[in-house]
Amino acid sequence: MANISFVREKPLPQSPPPITESTTIGWIRKNLFSGWLSSVLTILSVYFIYVCLKDFIPWAYGGNWSAGSIRECLDTNPDVACFSVIGARWRQLLFGFYPSEEYWRPILTFILLFVSVTPIFSPRFAKYFWFSMIYPGLAVWLLWGGSFWPVFSIYLAFVFSGLGFYIARNQFKLSTGISLMIAVILLIVFYLFLASPFISLFKYILPINLVVIESMQFGGFLLSMIVGFSGIAASFPIGILLALGRQSDLPLVKMICVGFIEFIRGVPLITLLFVASVLLNYFLPPGTSFDIIVRVIIMVTIFSAAYMAEVIRGGLAALPVGQHEASAALGLSYWQSQRLIIMPQALKISIPGIVNTFIGLFKDTTLVSIISLLDPVGLASLIRADQKWNGIYWELYVAIGLMFFICCFGMSQYSQYLERKLKTDNS
Amino acid sequence: MSDVTTERAIDRSKMEVSDEIAIHISDMNKWFGNFHVLRDINLEVRRGERIVVCGPSGSGKSTLIRCINRLEEHQQGKIIVDGTELSSDLKNIDKIRSEVGMCFQHFNLFPHLTILENCTLAPIWVRKMARKEAEETAMHFLEKVKIPEQADKYPGQLSGGQQQRVAIARSLCMKPQIMLFDEPTSSLDPEMIKEVLDTMIELAEEGMTMVCVTHEMGFARQVANRVIFMDDGQIVEENEPKEFFDNPKSDRTKLFLSQILGH
Amino acid sequence: MSSVKVPVEKFRLGMLLGDTRYRSTTVQVIAFIIFVTVAFWLVDNTIKNLALLGKDVDFSYLWMRAGYDINQRLIPYTNDSTHGRAALVGILNTLLVAFIGCIIATVLGVFVGILRLSKNWIVAKLMSVYIEGFRNIPVLLWIVMIFALLTEFTPAPKAFRGADPEASMVLFQSIAITNRGAYFPSPVWGDGSMYLLIIFVISLVAILFFRRYARNLQEETGKSLPKFWISLGIFFIPTIVLYFILGSPVTLEYPYLKGFNFKDGIYVRNSFIALTLALSLYTSAFIAEIVRSGILAISKGQTEAASSLGLRPGRIMNLIILPQALRVIVPPMISNYLNLTKNSSLAIAVGYMDVRGTLGGITLNQTGRELESMLLLMGFYLCVSLIVSAIINYFNRSFQIKGL
């Protein structure tokens, strides 16, 4: 047998690849022209893109931004886009009929939204979670206006009852259930008796007021965002409870939750919105009437809670079974193990699904235009009915579509980024 | 990386090596983008030889054997299998793939087909065999790997060791001349490694040409004609098993052996 | 053997919550009480409110005369028909949009999804633009945009008039697209068309028999015939040959311009076209994503194992990848069909009379029966979605891979 032994004395260094493999030429060959079919497809695609863009780009690029009406646009140059409608109406598209001197309020609310969301998504800032808690009240006050004190008093009530809870549990060593009941009683007491005098007192001492804005003045993207964000935020705790109920061993609780979820998911959102605008008043005691926006937010919350419950259920199912067993073995009660072990992990897994639900919800907010609320789509019809802009359509729809695209695409990219980050975190 | 020794006596006299060259690789280089993953590979495998390729992860050993049946493409150099050169010519690739069988680390059985259907799929659609004939061949090889009773089960119902043996039988149904193994036992629980290694030893005793990437050094010591050590994309050392394990010449080989045999 | 006396605990009130034996019952009883109380409160409020408005809950309005016209309908209907019949017309309209929309969405979606996986960079990116573009813009906006496109960009019927018309029909002067709708040629069944139909049905059956024969042939001898091309031939050739032998028994009646409008032919309104097209395009983007992720979910090792056995890419797709991918693709695809059906309720935005437009729209407004109409409307959608869920569950159960 021949000598088969071999030893390499010096290691070979890396050398660069041949031209056909590396850099642009290699890439073009592999990705665009790898076979005759691929080459044909490349040529067809390039031609197709050319055909689409050759009329669109001159039309859009040379757009008329300064005309005062569609008549003027057509007189000046009928072959270019009449973007003047956006120039004239962009404020309306963004804020609806919100008074322009108060624009700083929604803008501030929007910026603070990102601030309040950061502690939830980024563990580094978790200690600022208290801001996320006070943000809802702050946002309501900033947007709708009025005196600062009623909103403040709501938070004060919760602080008051929370204090009561802790004192009852830790000082007097009462059980959690009883402490909870005491806290609820304190809350009610505060509301019934202490709230009004407190508010009047502070209004007198230190009036902090913002101009009151009626709900009817909300419109455009402001309206979409309010409905979307509050729907998602409020549906979150309800969705968690529904998901837990659906998983539960108790047959009655499970039945109620399943029935609710399947009912909500089985009907179109438009029927629920119709319920909000017409039927909800029937279900409440005679004489009560809510703001239409509040009613819409209630129905959107219920709608979103059902979908949220399914997403969280998926997250719970993805959790390894051992987690439940480990926490039970450690002696944690059902609610303790949920709060400390199960839910944090399940929610982390479900974050991409939750963001997707939110994107869907945000797109669905356009449906309020059908019950005559003035979201961007509703506003578009309104603007088109105006004499000055009668007959315009492309430019408006393109602008609105683009805004939605930017928001939704941005959010979906973020959710994919989160998914990738989670995968590397956990595995 | 265990040192599972097989209990039965291996009859090395049965394992003859002829002079015919089964695989010829010369001056082979491969890049992944800018990364030079295989450098200056020169290798000749004779018919009936058993080669074991070992090395740290990332050394390119899996990539090497995947180049032999064109699961990966090489950019420079020549690979000639059974007299046919590996190029982008589809006819050549088909010819080579019907002569070369491969077993994977994760078995890659087709979960939606029964064990029998897994084994008869390729003979029916590639060799155009009649179903009855294909099933007879399949049962023959399933008996060889000692699990004929599982023929009507699905892969998900079998253990890891059984699945890998089915994978070996599936490749054998195509009656290949050369068998490639890509870390066949790395995904298995310790008690199942032996049954797969026994199957591979039987194959060797029947004279099959084998190229095996594995960490099972006991198997290498007892069955291989040659052990090849790869690091950083190149062949660093190559020798008979006895010489290789007892008398490694290169420093890198010594380091690697101390890491895997040391415990 | 001494017996150890186990102390019997006396029943304490705290055990209702503390003892696992009683705890679940207690919690359920509490839940039940809360549920019934809330339900009772809601129903009570409703009754009080309805009484205040002088209304009651009564479904008999369904048998009263409707008194309004529906411009697109699949079954006979006049404004003398009942509200119930109007609701039925609406339901059929909804189902028509849903059915056609689902078919177009599936064909488009599968096509785009597979192309999205192409190795050609431009094609993959173009498909990605398609998918992201349709997915990230609300469906209502698409419906409104496409409807606006169809009504504003297309000529009025009278523009087709005259010796030198502004507009002309497409496709060899057969289809007219106007700003009110599209006119398609309609088939006229002449003498002998019956035989054509019979031959066509026979050729379909023949394809089934041929495929069975080819499969048996392969099992016996291993020879494989080009099944696809032969089936295609059987599909087309006999019917076409007979068509010419019989002297073209089936002719087309072309729409033609008479006065200010077109006559004859099949008339499809713009509202229907816009709604169906928008829903199909929107849903096809989601289906494309589902197809893509379904195929990607099949591990690369499957393709590698099949390649190393010598199978060609086409066979690998047919025998290995698709059977596994379909299991993952079909359930979410079916639930997208459900979404399409629910989204069809946006028809009101373009004036198409689906079930929400009739039952939940005009009927509701005219009779003032809001509660009853809404209940029926929701009941309809609920039925559809429950049927679809049942189908998904059946599919999942029967195609489960054993052991997985």
Side-chain angles (χ1 to χ4, degrees), chain A residues 176-240:
Chain A
T176 316
I178 304 207
S179 312
L180 212 60
M181 278 196 277
I182 293 182
V184 171
I185 294 177
L186 281 176
L187 198 65
I188 300 177
V189 159
F190 188 92
Y191 255 131
L192 289 180
F193 301 114
L194 295 175
S196 297
F198 173 79
I199 294 175
S200 323
L201 182 68
F202 269 90
K203 268 193 186 164
Y204 183 69
I205 298 180
L206 187 64
I208 306 181
N209 280 337
L210 287 175
V211 176
V212 173
I213 313 282
E214 295 294 316
S215 292
M216 269 300 140
Q217 293 175 277
F218 286 92
F221 274 100
L222 177 63
L223 184 62
S224 300
M225 297 232 182
I226 293 180
V227 171
F229 279 110
S230 38
I232 269 278
S235 72
F236 202 61
I238 305 179
I240 295 181

Side-chain angles (χ1 to χ4, degrees), chain A residues 393-409:
Chain A
Y393 57 100
W394 260 134
E395 294 82 351
L396 259 184
Y397 289 140
V398 164
I400 298 176
L402 203 62
M403 278 276 336
F404 270 107
F405 180 80
I406 294 175
C407 290
C408 296
F409 187 65

